[in-house]
Amino acid sequence: MALTVVRFLFPARTTAVRARSVVQKAGVHTSPGRSLEYGWWAYILGERTTPRFKQYSKIITIDGNLASGKGALAQKLADKLGMLYMPEADTFYLDRMTGEKEPLPRDFNGMCSLEKFYADPKAADGNSYRLQLWMYTMRLLQYSDAIEHLLTTGQGVILERSPFSDMVFLDAMFNQGYIRKECVNHYNEIKTISICEFLPPHLVLYIDQPAEEVQKKLKQSGKPHLQNVSLQYLKSVEDSYKKSFLPSIRETSELLVYDMTQVQDAERIVEDIEYLKFDKGPWPEQDDISYHHMRKLVQDKERVGSLTHIPVFLPEITIGAHDYDQKYYAYRALPGKNYARGYNADVGDKYIWLK
């Protein structure tokens, strides 16, 4: 018996592991066991999405190679356009969204390590592909959070990368011999059945920086795990962006490309955004009915996470039943994880007799 490791995204239904949205919702009465969420009754009673939308009720992603200044630009644009900035998701994104005081061990976060990938990208234990698949899942969850925020509040969101551009790292890993063809096939199958549930960004901004400059910045960063990133890997990421991602995303989203000198002028970029018509892709075709169904999906993080689950044997992401059982009970033994949130006396929860 074997189980895919990505199922540790939600180790057990009783643990109620659900990514907390960044949206601040209206103060309604809730109990530890059940909370009131948007649903059919809200729609029937007149809850609509389109009246909230304004000029910059958009999803914008900033893309580019490592250390290309995506975060700084995203923050500047968010401030100028009145949008929400969501920093790039990392391997512990789920922990932050569920309010963990400290990140949980890697055994409960994809069993992967970014530091190990840069130190030993060809590790025999399959860390590279586990990392890639876990990061796609985290980006998918973050993208669902961004859309939930947009539909619930009307405020636009700016992200660093998205699940739509995540494949550039898969391409680079395969081209450098870090992962097998079987991993590429598995990833593509996962992406095919999951990404179709989401609309692409309204706008993608790509920062074009030569791989040589990227490597120089990484060496200057002072972070030990970034000192030896292969130049060929960085070039493969750049090539995948330019040959695969940008041509495809141009068909469904607005696209703006800037070099490192142009990206310093945030005012000019804002002016460029103001001239865009945003008449591409599926967003102009949406109405309150489709937004209703979209909102139902993105608020259900277990459903979003389950889109990345395929019962298939792949050594890189598969563990035996005994190992899974051991890790499952190790998770349940963590403080506050034995029952649903609000029902764990070991962390001070009260009124557990109500369950």
Side-chain angles (χ1 to χ4, degrees):
M1 178 180 179
L3 295 172
T4 52
V5 71
V6 290
R7 293 190 65 180
F8 274 98
L9 174 60
F10 302 107
R13 192 136 183 112
T14 57
T15 58
V17 179
R18 182 178 181 276
R20 177 173 54 84
S21 168
V22 295
V23 181
Q24 293 187 354
K25 301 179 181 178
V28 295
H29 174 73
T30 62
S31 69
R34 186 174 299 276
S35 61
L36 297 179
E37 296 180 333
Y38 173 83
W40 279 105
W41 275 112
Y43 184 79
I44 291 172
L45 293 174
E47 174 80 6
R48 296 294 184 269
T49 299
T50 52
R52 298 190 181 93
F53 284 1
K54 298 179 173 53
Q55 181 181 6
Y56 293 120
S57 295
K58 313 291 182 187
I59 300 292
I60 298 177
T61 64
I62 312 294
D63 270 276
N65 215 324
L66 279 65
S68 56
K70 298 180 298 297
L73 177 60
Q75 184 67 74
K76 289 179 182 178
L77 293 180
D79 293 340
K80 292 180 179 297
L81 299 175
M83 302 175 71
L84 174 69
Y85 164 54
M86 297 179 69
E88 184 172 5
D90 60 12
T91 55
F92 298 104
Y93 177 77
L94 187 62
D95 287 345
R96 292 198 301 276
M97 292 300 99
T98 53
E100 301 294 341
K101 295 181 179 179
E102 295 182 0
L104 298 181
R106 290 192 177 95
D107 275 357
F108 313 121
N109 279 288
M111 296 182 186
C112 57
S113 168
L114 181 63
E115 291 78 10
K116 181 175 181 177
F117 166 70
Y118 287 126
D120 185 12
K122 295 184 179 182
D125 66 351
N127 175 74
S128 292
Y129 184 58
R130 283 199 304 279
L131 173 67
Q132 179 60 33
L133 186 57
W134 184 253
M135 285 306 305
Y136 175 75
T137 305
M138 295 302 101
R139 294 192 206 280
L140 202 67
L141 283 169
Q142 185 185 52
Y143 199 74
S144 72
D145 282 342
I147 293 182
E148 183 179 8
H149 183 84
L150 172 68
L151 299 183
T152 305
T153 68
Q155 183 186 27
V157 182
I158 298 185
L159 299 148
E160 297 175 54
R161 298 200 179 98
S162 73
F164 291 86
S165 62
D166 181 76
M167 42 72 64
V168 300
F169 298 103
L170 179 88
D171 290 349
M173 287 182 181
F174 179 67
N175 290 336
Q176 297 305 307
Y178 300 164
I179 60 176
R180 301 180 301 130
K181 180 62 175 178
E182 290 80 359
C183 296
V184 175
N185 295 338
H186 178 261
Y187 178 95
N188 288 334
E189 185 176 2
I190 289 285
K191 186 170 183 178
T192 299
I193 64 174
S194 58
I195 204 68
C196 60
E197 299 290 339
F198 298 89
L199 301 183
H202 292 84
L203 167 64
V204 173
L205 277 77
Y206 178 68
I207 303 176
D208 187 9
Q209 183 177 29
E212 291 79 5
E213 292 298 318
V214 172
Q215 188 182 52
K216 185 183 300 184
K217 281 189 175 181
L218 293 177
K219 290 182 179 297
Q220 295 172 349
S221 69
K223 298 179 180 179
H225 64 282
L226 297 178
Q227 299 304 303
N228 298 313
V229 179
S230 165
L231 178 60
Q232 292 304 313
Y233 173 74
L234 297 174
K235 286 185 175 180
S236 291
V237 172
E238 181 181 356
D239 289 344
S240 183
Y241 262 122
K242 294 180 177 179
K243 294 179 181 179
S244 298
F245 174 67
L246 296 183
S248 64
I249 202 66
R250 190 189 298 272
E251 298 178 2
T252 58
S253 306
E254 300 288 355
L255 176 63
L256 296 174
V257 179
Y258 299 97
D259 60 31
M260 289 305 296
T261 56
Q262 296 170 325
V263 82
Q264 305 301 320
D265 189 355
E267 293 290 347
R268 175 193 168 183
I269 297 176
V270 169
E271 291 179 2
D272 291 343
I273 294 174
E274 290 176 346
Y275 279 107
L276 296 175
K277 296 181 178 180
F278 292 104
D279 55 358
K280 280 187 175 183
W283 281 99
E285 304 171 1
Q286 306 307 307
D287 55 23
D288 280 312
I289 296 177
S290 61
Y291 286 140
H292 163 74
H293 291 287
M294 195 186 312
R295 191 170 169 185
K296 287 276 290 176
L297 167 65
V298 296
Q299 76 176 5
D300 187 348
K301 305 307 177 189
E302 283 197 51
R303 183 180 168 193
V304 172
S306 69
L307 295 173
T308 64
H309 300 168
I310 294 180
V312 62
F313 175 79
L314 194 67
E316 287 83 351
I317 61 168
T318 306
I319 62 174
H322 292 292
D323 196 11
Y324 181 92
D325 188 70
Q326 182 183 39
K327 287 178 170 54
Y328 169 77
Y329 284 104
Y331 179 86
R332 293 284 296 274
L334 294 175
K337 302 301 181 186
N338 196 33
Y339 302 106
R341 183 172 296 180
Y343 292 86
N344 294 280
D346 62 322
V347 292
D349 292 339
K350 299 180 180 179
Y351 311 115
I352 59 176
W353 53 272
L354 289 173
K355 75 178 182 69

